[in-house]
């Protein structure tokens, strides 16, 4: 049920490492709103996306290329976070991806959309639902069917990021705590300091090294390294 998906999403996104879940009406409502938004976004994408199995066009123009880069950046980041059991970080990236797709849909000025953009929206919609499926399996299956797929999303192959679309979009930053490397994060090359700060402080290795001590200083050397001082 969607209620089960809401509870699962709330627990995963509101559970820092080694801490109890803090239940709140506001948190549960936020998870439910995202479930509803995911359903609406799937419908909007389905109306402009290319058919299932469509072949990619020979070239992609500005908006289509931007959508594809957002898709593959999201695949790379969310996959890495899921592999490291950092579900809250994965969900945060998926939420950002949903925001990027909403902005792209708002930028559409002609219908039917060009073939390159239709393919980009198909690729994005399929990736979005496959990425969110481990956290919201029930609504993901409904969305997958709504997008025109005959099988189950749970049986679909996990999406793989195209390195040519990610290479110029992502950078890897080592994270030090009191001078010792404790983690490495993958972020967009133009990510702001607050985004990098949240991602760095959410890492398990950083959390363990901080030992519950308050943050004294956060030092970012752009595109090179992150230093956490406690």
């Amino acid at each position: 049920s969607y209620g089960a998906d809401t509870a699962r999403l709330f627990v995963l996104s509101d559970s820092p490492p080694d801490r109890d879940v803090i239940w709140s009406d506001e948190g549960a409502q936020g998870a439910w709103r995202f479930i509803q938004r995911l359903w609406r976004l799937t419908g909007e994408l389905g109306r402009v996306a290319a058919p299932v199995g469509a072949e990619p066009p020979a070239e992609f123009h500005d908006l289509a290329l931007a959508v594809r880069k957002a898709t593959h950046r999201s695949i790379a980041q969310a996959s890495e976070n899921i592999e490291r059991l950092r579900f809250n970080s994965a969900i945060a990236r998926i939420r950002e991806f949903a925001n990027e797709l909403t902005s792209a849909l708002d930028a559409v000025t002609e219908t039917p959309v060009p073939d390159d953009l239709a393919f980009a929206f198909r690729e994005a919609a399929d990736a979005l639902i496959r990425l969110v499926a481990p956290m919201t399996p029930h609504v993901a299956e409904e969305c997958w069917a709504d997008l025109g797929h005959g099988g189950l999303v749970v049986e679909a192959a996990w999406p793989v990021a195209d390195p040519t679309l990610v290479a110029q979009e992502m950078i890897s930053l080592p994270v030090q705590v009191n001078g010792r490397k404790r983690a490495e994060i993958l972020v967009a090359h133009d990510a702001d300091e607050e985004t990098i700060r949240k991602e760095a402080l959410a890492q398990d290795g950083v959390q363990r090294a901080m030992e519950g001590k308050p943050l004294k200083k956060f030092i970012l050397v752009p595109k090179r390294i992150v230093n956490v001082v406690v």
Side-chain angles (χ1 to χ4, degrees):
S1 69
Y2 294 175
D5 279 353
T6 299
R8 176 192 283 256
L9 184 64
F10 170 72
V11 170
L12 291 174
S13 61
D14 283 47
S15 302
D18 304 320
R19 299 182 190 176
D20 293 332
V21 176
I22 301 175
W23 292 96
S24 69
D25 290 341
E26 182 180 354
Q29 289 169 4
W32 174 238
R33 284 195 297 270
F34 181 69
I35 294 291
Q36 293 177 310
R37 183 181 175 208
L38 182 66
W39 175 255
R40 291 194 300 270
L41 180 58
T42 298
E44 292 171 8
L45 288 167
R47 283 190 284 275
V48 295
V52 173
E55 293 294 322
E59 59 180 347
F60 294 89
H61 299 94
D62 291 348
L63 183 55
L65 186 58
V67 171
R68 296 201 72 207
K69 285 183 176 181
T71 298
H72 288 269
R73 181 170 66 246
S74 300
I75 293 171
Q77 287 182 302
S79 297
E80 181 184 38
N81 283 315
I82 290 172
E83 287 173 4
R84 295 184 179 183
L85 305 183
R86 292 295 311 169
F87 297 113
N88 50 355
S89 295
I91 292 168
R93 178 56 232 171
I94 291 168
R95 287 178 182 269
E96 291 174 17
F97 185 29
N99 290 339
E100 290 168 330
L101 293 180
T102 298
S103 296
L105 286 167
D106 290 342
V108 172
T109 58
E110 58 178 304
T111 53
V113 301
D115 290 345
D116 62 334
L117 187 54
F119 177 87
F121 279 139
R122 163 56 59 182
E123 183 179 48
D126 288 354
L128 174 65
I129 301 309
R130 282 182 288 179
L131 290 176
V132 81
M135 282 71 78
T136 60
H138 300 89
V139 71
E141 292 295 353
E142 293 288 346
C143 290
W144 192 246
D146 197 49
L147 287 171
H149 294 278
L152 299 175
V153 68
V154 72
E155 297 173 343
W158 189 255
V160 177
D162 184 338
T164 62
L165 291 171
V166 175
Q168 297 179 347
E169 295 292 306
M170 308 296 297
I171 57 173
S172 179
L173 295 177
V175 182
Q176 293 186 342
V177 179
N178 292 342
R180 294 187 61 185
K181 182 180 176 181
R182 299 294 187 176
E184 193 158 323
I185 58 175
L186 191 67
V187 296
H189 74 92
D190 58 352
D192 59 27
E193 182 169 337
E194 183 60 24
T195 298
I196 295 172
R197 175 188 175 113
K198 288 180 180 179
E199 183 68 17
L201 295 180
Q203 301 305 305
D204 290 340
V206 173
Q207 290 279 330
R208 287 193 295 268
M210 292 178 70
E211 298 178 330
K213 298 174 184 176
L215 176 68
K216 290 182 179 179
K217 190 178 294 186
F218 182 85
I219 305 169
L220 170 65
V221 181
K223 295 180 173 58
R224 292 189 61 188
I225 195 169
V226 172
N227 288 288
V228 174
V229 181
V230 296

